[in-house]
Amino acid sequence: MSLIVQKYGGTSVADIEHIRNVASRVTKTYDQGNDVVVILSAMAGITDRLIGMAREASENPDKRELDVLLATGEQTTSALLAMILNSMDYPAQSLMGHQAEVVTDHCFGNARIVDIRTDRIKELLRQRHVVVIAGFQGCDPRGNITTLGRGGSDTSAVAIASALEADVCEIFTDVDGIYTADPNICEKARKLKAISYDEMLNMASLGAKVLQIRSVGFAKKYNIPVHVRSSFTEEEGTMVVNEDSGMERLVVSGVTHDQNQARITLKKVPDQPGVAAKIFTPIAEAGIVVDMIIQNTRAGGQTDLTFTVPRASYKTAIEIEKKVAAEIGAEDVFGDEQIAKVSVIGVGMKDHSGVASTMFSTLAAENINIILISTSEIRISCIIEEKYTELAVRVLHSAFGLDAGS
Ligand code: ASP
Ligand code: MG
């Protein structure tokens, strides 16, 4: 017998028919003798609709009241599932975030979980109840309802699974797992059996559509195996696990791409202490997140410095750097929005050499120019011209042996 936490996303509880389908999965797991805790999202589209209503009610809705409103989406689905389970003669009870004692800080709209007291959940499990918990919500120490940020029911599920020391946290969604590349641009992409927490964190651009990335950090910290799978099939999905758990360590597990990038270059920057701080402090103050930074060393006490920012921040960043350039005496500032980042990710890279050279020669064979390179222990990223994104993903996917059927 195991303790299993199952989380169902919005499309899996889109209407009563779908919630019945969830009930039959839950009862199947329960009938196998397991303890089952279910975390639910709101019905698909409901959270957006509630936000729309709040905007109609007020130009600037009070943050506390907005959370009271948004939490109703998950309250609805939890009550409905518990009712359906009861009508099938299964003992079940719904718990809202505060009843499950999911204690958060008081940051409305983006609260962090600080503690989960599990007494009430454990008591219900001892009585062989199915415990249905509203995801996405908690309460602050003063009892105010809080929500955890969009997609936050994944984090609720992983946090509750860790507090209960569950055997597994199953995330049921409308995709059937994590793929080696985006199947929309790489038709040979295939589903991975397993992936490590760190790979998943590095694959945010692939994985974020599937799991709230914050939940992966949580799963890693508490070592909770997460099974990402579809609620519409019986097939196994992808296990997100600790890399030492016996999973196959692929040299490269996935190829990702990110077209939300822009590059800014400052030419002939004086090579002196304090200059980098002058360049990046105003960027940080504007709330812009810098991704890659490359600086060259040049003769004559001057250097070129290039960095990347999200495309939406490009115009602001260029304006800021024009002022900085004048101040520090850099020769020119220019940039480019038509770029993309392609990355190869894999924990097996740690004990393999030659991954970078394979990546570079694969791109070279297609005449794709590399503009910037950055590496970490398990990832190599190249900035290229945006128009080559799909080609680059496909050739890298083949070169690293990831193609389906290869
Ligand atoms: N219902 C919330 C949202 O749409 C939370 C979730 O689905 O995870 O963001
Ligand atoms: Mg979701």
Side-chain angles (χ1 to χ4, degrees):
M1 194 200 80
S2 304
L3 171 51
I4 298 180
V5 171
Q6 298 187 330
K7 181 257 165 176
Y8 294 89
T11 49
S12 306
V13 292
D15 52 35
I16 302 290
E17 238 355 85
H18 283 81
I19 300 177
R20 280 193 207 286
N21 177 44
V22 167
S24 71
R25 275 194 183 269
V26 168
T27 53
K28 209 164 117 193
T29 310
Y30 179 93
D31 287 339
Q32 287 160 358
N34 302 302
D35 284 336
V36 191
V37 175
V38 185
I39 317 296
L40 293 183
S41 279
M43 291 179 180
I46 287 293
T47 308
D48 288 328
R49 211 143 87 206
L50 292 169
I51 292 172
M53 278 199 263
R55 294 231 171 92
E56 266 183 65
S58 157
E59 237 172 61
N60 187 14
D62 182 85
K63 288 204 156 91
R64 179 188 183 279
E65 301 313 325
L66 188 59
D67 276 0
V68 175
L69 179 70
L70 295 191
T72 62
E74 276 71 14
Q75 176 158 351
T76 308
T77 47
S78 307
L80 289 169
L81 177 63
M83 273 176 209
I84 291 173
L85 289 167
N86 285 330
S87 74
M88 295 163 74
D89 286 330
Y90 285 85
Q93 205 180 95
S94 66
L95 295 177
M96 299 304 98
H98 70 277
Q99 295 169 322
E101 299 193 69
V102 177
V103 183
T104 71
D105 62 18
H106 54 258
C107 181
F108 296 116
N110 198 22
R112 306 256 150 184
I113 297 174
V114 294
D115 188 24
I116 299 177
R117 298 180 206 125
T118 51
D119 302 349
R120 188 154 172 188
I121 304 172
K122 282 184 179 151
E123 180 54 33
L124 286 166
L125 289 175
R126 258 195 299 279
Q127 299 161 7
R128 276 298 278 159
H129 274 69
V130 175
V131 184
V132 183
I133 302 175
F136 177 54
Q137 53 171 272
C139 70
D140 74 5
R142 301 181 60 184
N144 295 303
I145 295 174
T146 54
T147 65
L148 309 182
R150 296 308 302 271
S153 54
D154 293 332
T155 299
S156 306
V158 175
I160 289 168
S162 73
L164 290 169
E165 295 176 43
D167 295 285
V168 65
C169 178
E170 297 184 309
I171 304 276
F172 286 92
T173 173
D174 52 2
V175 297
D176 58 1
I178 314 292
Y179 278 71
T180 49
D182 181 347
N184 293 317
I185 69 163
C186 179
E187 59 180 28
K188 290 183 176 154
R190 61 185 167 82
K191 188 169 72 184
L192 288 159
K193 277 204 172 68
I195 183 174
S196 71
Y197 300 122
D198 286 327
E199 287 170 318
M200 187 70 189
L201 289 167
N202 272 281
M203 286 213 213
S205 68
L206 280 179
K209 293 168 198 150
V210 184
L211 265 186
Q212 193 194 38
I213 275 310
R214 216 166 109 194
S215 70
V216 182
F218 229 104
K220 179 183 172 187
K221 188 162 166 203
Y222 297 101
N223 200 11
I224 297 291
V226 175
H227 187 177
V228 177
R229 57 192 307 187
S230 164
S231 63
F232 302 103
T233 69
E234 291 300 323
E235 252 175 71
E236 300 268 302
T238 302
M239 290 300 300
V240 187
V241 290
N242 188 309
E243 69 182 74
D244 301 323
S245 66
M247 62 172 274
E248 183 191 3
R249 284 163 69 102
L250 296 174
V251 177
V252 169
S253 301
V255 182
T256 67
H257 66 285
D258 177 359
Q259 287 167 306
N260 175 34
Q261 297 267 323
R263 148 178 86 118
I264 294 175
T265 299
L266 284 88
K267 210 175 148 197
K268 294 200 182 166
V269 174
D271 197 4
Q272 288 161 9
V275 166
K278 285 204 176 104
I279 293 172
F280 292 108
T281 305
I283 293 278
E285 279 167 2
I288 298 171
V289 181
V290 172
D291 182 16
M292 295 186 184
I293 301 174
I294 312 284
Q295 184 188 303
N296 282 335
T297 310
R298 285 180 28 150
Q302 287 173 324
T303 176
D304 291 348
L305 191 142
T306 298
F307 61 96
T308 62
V309 293
R311 212 172 276 175
S313 308
Y314 175 68
K315 293 221 160 62
T316 317
I318 277 272
E319 287 312 311
I320 291 173
E321 291 309 335
K322 283 196 172 139
K323 285 192 203 119
V324 173
E327 194 187 310
I328 62 177
E331 187 185 279
D332 197 9
V333 179
F334 51 88
D336 184 357
E337 291 181 272
Q338 267 68 56
I339 58 163
K341 179 166 80 172
V342 289
S343 310
V344 299
I345 294 145
V347 282
M349 261 181 225
K350 289 181 191 173
D351 24 62
H352 271 83
S353 58
V355 177
S357 64
T358 303
M359 181 170 191
F360 304 152
S361 45
T362 303
L363 294 174
E366 299 295 331
N367 245 326
I368 300 173
N369 186 40
I370 300 169
I371 304 168
L372 293 175
I373 300 164
S374 79
T375 62
S376 77
E377 210 180 12
I378 64 162
R379 178 174 52 82
I380 304 169
S381 300
C382 294
I383 296 282
I384 58 169
E385 276 183 77
E386 185 177 24
K387 64 182 179 197
Y388 295 123
T389 312
E390 295 191 12
L391 176 63
V393 171
R394 282 194 217 113
V395 293
L396 291 170
H397 197 267
S398 292
F400 287 103
L402 294 174
D403 286 356
S406 74

